Amino acid sequence: MIALALCCILATELGEPFRLEIAGQPLSLPLGHAAPLFADWDGDGLTDLLLGRFEGGRLAIHRNLGRAGQPRFGPAVWFEAGGGPGTIPAG
C-alpha cells in the first residue's frame, strides 16, 4: 500500500466534475459513499480506478481497458489479501 501512495499525485485544485462510466454504464453505488483514487494499479501505464466502498470496507479495482487519454473502466474486481477479501474496519 505504501508503493501505491508514492505513485499518486495530489491535486491542489479541483477540476470540473465529470461522470464516470464502469463497463459502459454510469457509476452507481448502493450506498452512495465512495473514496475514488486514480492510479496505475496493474503497471500497464494506464490509470485505473480504485474505489473504496462504504459497504463492508471493500476496495473495488476497475482496470482501465482503454487507452491513454481515453479511459474505459472495466467491471469491479475486489481487492484480496491473505487469501480472502481485503477490508478496512470501520471505527
Side-chain angles (χ1 to χ4, degrees):
M1 209 45 109
I2 292 173
L4 178 63
L6 295 175
C7 76
C8 305
I9 300 170
L10 298 177
T12 57
E13 296 182 20
L14 297 176
E16 290 294 318
F18 59 95
R19 176 177 285 190
L20 281 175
E21 289 189 0
I22 305 296
Q25 298 295 318
L27 175 63
S28 177
L29 301 174
L31 297 176
H33 297 18
L37 174 70
F38 293 94
D40 182 6
W41 177 259
D42 54 11
D44 65 358
L46 299 173
T47 303
D48 305 303
L49 171 62
L50 285 68
L51 197 55
R53 304 275 289 269
F54 179 75
E55 71 272 9
R58 304 283 311 268
L59 176 65
I61 302 167
H62 298 272
R63 291 188 58 231
N64 185 346
L65 306 174
R67 299 189 307 251
Q70 295 180 324
R72 185 173 54 88
F73 298 108
V77 174
W78 294 105
F79 174 75
E80 293 189 5
T87 61
I88 299 172

